[in-house]
Amino acid sequence: MSLLSRSRVLLGAGALTVLGLGYACAGRSSSSLAGTAGAAQRVYVAPGEKDELYAFLSGGFGGQVGVYGLPSGRLLRTIPVFSQAPENGWGYTDETKPMLETSYGFIPWDDLHHTALSQTDGDDDGRWLFVNGNNTPRVARIDLTHFETTEILEIPNAAGNHASPFVTPNTEYIVSSTRFSIPNPNQDVPIAEYKKYFKGQISFITADQPGKMDIAFQLIMPGFNYDLARAGKGPSDGWMFFTSYNSEQANTLLEVNASQNDKDYIAAVNYRAVEACVKAGKGRRATVDYRHNYMDEFSRVSRSERRTSVLQVLPTECPGSVFFLPTPKSPHGADVDPTGEFVVAGGKLATVIPVHSTVKMLQAIKDKAFEGELEGIPVLKYEATLAGEVKEPGLGPLHTEFDGKGFAYTSMFISSEIVKWNIKTFEVVDRAPTFYSVGHLMIPGGGTRHPYGRYVLAMNKITKDRYLPTGPELTQSAQLYDITGDKMQLLLDFPTQGEPHYANAIDAKKIIDRQVKFYAIAENRNPMVTRSERETGVTRSGKVVHVRMTAIRSHFSPDNIEGVQLGDTVLFHVTNLEQDWDVPHGFAITGANTSELLIMPGETRTLRWVPGRIGVFPMYCTDFCSALHQEMQGYVRVSPAGSSVALKGNTRVPAAARGSN
């Protein structure tokens, strides 16, 4: 087999591109080496210096968010959202387990697809990051003062929560729409009767007040597949634009049956009109079952609330609220430029990139330039809303972001490239290859009024030869490009966690100075807080043993516990007494079937332990906290059920000073 043939077998569609790179490297000139050195210099962050940007990449099937510094590409933190995290006990501790409750029960996993930063006046403000759970429909709020998930809302009447959680310009709402249309209400019906029973829905969720997320209203839509969304601004303020596909309403073999029509639709939703209809008493309350979970700010104990109804509105009950914009073909992204005039659609099977004008759309609505209607929703004429088409952009356009300088950047999945084009002339002005099969891309602030237009980040689906091989499963690849000049320049490859679908990045100055460095222990309202060693103790309530424990450099109090019996459940309520930045303590005990605790300064966390045998079991600090970290340990003695061994805990404070256990 020739070198060319063998490379094609190994690399598939990327073979020729890779070979070209290989030959270039073999004969690399001094100028190309200088270019590589220049790129490295631009992403180099010297020891002790900090990155320009925080980047938040969705973790896909990991159910978490990765926080990276840009331009370095360094992983700074992983934030668990819908998945349990043994690193810090998220979803294992008594305080955090309620965050993962749903109407289906405790669900400790999800497919986290998209991220969206909170906005003020159309610009990212750095208060919160919203993310979606695609599998069990949920949206979550992450508080960026301490980079922790603080709220999760389940979405009823949804399946495949994909077009989510895109924000309105002042974070009045985040939106969620269903990828899979389902019966509404969900019931036992023949799948073959899809067109009769199956409906889509779009939820507008109040988001401007922490701890109070709720569904303001749901629009019941035709039974399409709803994909992505963006909010309008400027001339399109008050509108939200959703892509949809499967206008054929097929229910099997969608790769063929949902690709028949030349055009599908962008749903343009006038949510101000829907608000007015709701205020006028239109819509109906539907009985549903879903959960709202939130973390209390001061006790840092989460709660799960059951909710049982949602307000549903039919577009036909609210004329002027929804219009369909025909869009070729199987559109994926719906992206609004910084001025708010243009809506760019990425038709996965289209040969052009269509650009709709919201100014023309509003005029077409006024002129009633309709080509018909679908289930009572007016369909505007394609030419009536079209600003222009980008011709021959490449193969497989998906997503578009904007640099704020008059240019748009579109990811081309099949031809593995980013295409730069002029928003006014719709002409392609540059192309840059990606390695390989770019899905989403991200310009920091690229969906806002004022993009931070220095970089574009490609999130690629196929890695192949970019890193050291790790068996059949390879890490995903992100690539950072400089876009300050006329031509894009690849600066950096870096691996990512899970499968990033979308990302946001924000100037670090908007976040860094508001960081929580420790929790004030005086404000700790956890019911099991222990604010000093004098308050520590061990108590029994039937078969449950409560250990109120403190951790401080470099010991636990109590450090030896006796009187636990086989059949008991032991709850270690550990408070970190430190009031200094970056001094967490860990806690683990032999045989625990949950995870360790990682307790931040001033915080209380609970480990639940059910000993399965008699004996003496070590416990220790898992986070290296001082020179005497190894000495930070203790023991729990477990005796047979009915034993006469007294329940006690050993501390440095005399029992008389603490009171009786």
Side-chain angles (χ1 to χ4, degrees), residues 42-362:
R42 274 179 277 177
V43 300
Y44 178 67
V45 179
E49 298 296 321
K50 298 179 179 66
D51 282 285
E52 297 171 45
L53 303 162
Y54 285 102
F56 303 95
L57 276 63
S58 69
F61 39 69
Q64 78 286 314
V65 173
V67 183
Y68 298 80
L70 292 182
S72 73
R74 298 179 295 189
L75 176 64
L76 304 178
R77 180 157 179 206
T78 300
I79 305 173
V81 184
F82 304 114
S83 57
Q84 292 176 296
E87 178 184 7
N88 62 7
W90 175 263
Y92 289 105
T93 68
D94 281 21
E95 291 85 1
T96 61
K97 283 184 70 174
M99 295 294 288
L100 301 179
E101 289 294 334
T102 76
S103 62
Y104 300 92
F106 181 76
I107 306 289
W109 174 84
D110 219 311
D111 183 13
L112 195 158
H113 266 225
H114 301 131
T115 63
L117 286 163
S118 57
Q119 293 187 2
T120 299
D121 196 23
D123 285 319
D124 297 331
D125 57 28
R127 290 178 295 165
W128 308 305
L129 181 74
F130 298 99
V131 298
N132 70 329
N134 194 34
N135 185 63
T136 305
R138 290 175 277 184
V139 292
R141 183 198 308 267
I142 296 170
D143 187 326
L144 293 180
T145 62
H146 51 107
F147 284 65
E148 183 179 62
T149 305
T150 55
E151 194 170 7
I152 296 177
L153 180 71
E154 186 181 358
I155 313 299
N157 304 314
N161 175 39
H162 198 265
S164 171
F166 302 98
V167 302
T168 54
N170 284 294
T171 320
E172 305 97 331
Y173 301 111
I174 56 175
V175 298
S176 166
S177 64
T178 187
R179 171 183 169 187
F180 308 108
S181 290
I182 56 174
N184 185 11
N186 207 347
Q187 56 189 305
D188 179 15
V189 298
I191 297 173
E193 297 186 32
Y194 182 101
K195 292 183 179 180
K196 179 179 179 181
Y197 291 106
F198 286 59
K199 295 293 182 182
Q201 66 82 17
I202 296 172
S203 294
F204 281 76
I205 300 159
T206 54
D208 55 344
Q209 295 186 54
K212 297 184 182 297
M213 280 173 30
D214 201 0
I215 297 169
F217 50 83
Q218 286 186 333
L219 281 169
I220 305 305
M221 299 288 289
F224 304 158
N225 292 55
Y226 296 85
D227 208 4
L228 289 172
R230 281 289 189 195
K233 46 190 175 280
S236 56
D237 183 48
W239 291 80
M240 183 72 70
F241 302 93
F242 299 82
T243 50
S244 67
Y245 61 98
N246 190 23
S247 55
E248 299 85 351
Q249 298 191 58
N251 62 76
T252 182
L253 295 175
L254 263 61
E255 64 177 336
V256 174
N257 294 325
S259 302
Q260 301 299 308
N261 294 338
D262 288 335
K263 292 183 176 67
D264 291 286
Y265 302 101
I266 287 178
V269 177
N270 183 345
Y271 57 87
R272 303 253 196 266
V274 184
E275 288 175 334
C277 289
V278 169
K279 188 175 181 180
K282 297 182 180 180
R284 64 181 181 88
R285 278 277 160 193
T287 300
V288 292
D289 185 16
Y290 63 108
R291 300 294 182 271
H292 173 239
N293 309 325
Y294 66 97
M295 181 76 69
D296 180 79
E297 180 182 0
F298 294 105
S299 70
R300 295 191 41 71
V301 175
S302 62
R303 293 172 174 81
S304 181
E305 303 172 335
R306 183 185 182 191
R307 293 182 176 169
T308 57
S309 72
V310 66
L311 181 66
Q312 296 185 338
V313 179
L314 294 173
T316 51
E317 298 174 338
C318 191
S321 61
V322 183
F323 298 88
F324 281 133
L325 282 59
T327 302
K329 177 177 188 182
S330 296
H332 190 52
D335 299 293
V336 180
D337 85 304
T339 70
E341 180 178 356
F342 299 115
V343 181
V344 180
K348 300 190 292 290
L349 303 178
T351 58
V352 297
I353 299 174
V355 183
H356 296 280
S357 164
T358 59
V359 173
K360 293 183 70 174
M361 177 195 76
L362 294 173

Side-chain angles (χ1 to χ4, degrees), residues 422-437:
N422 188 300
I423 296 174
K424 292 183 179 179
T425 66
F426 311 114
E427 294 176 329
V428 174
V429 298
D430 190 27
R431 299 175 184 273
T434 62
F435 307 98
Y436 306 91
S437 299

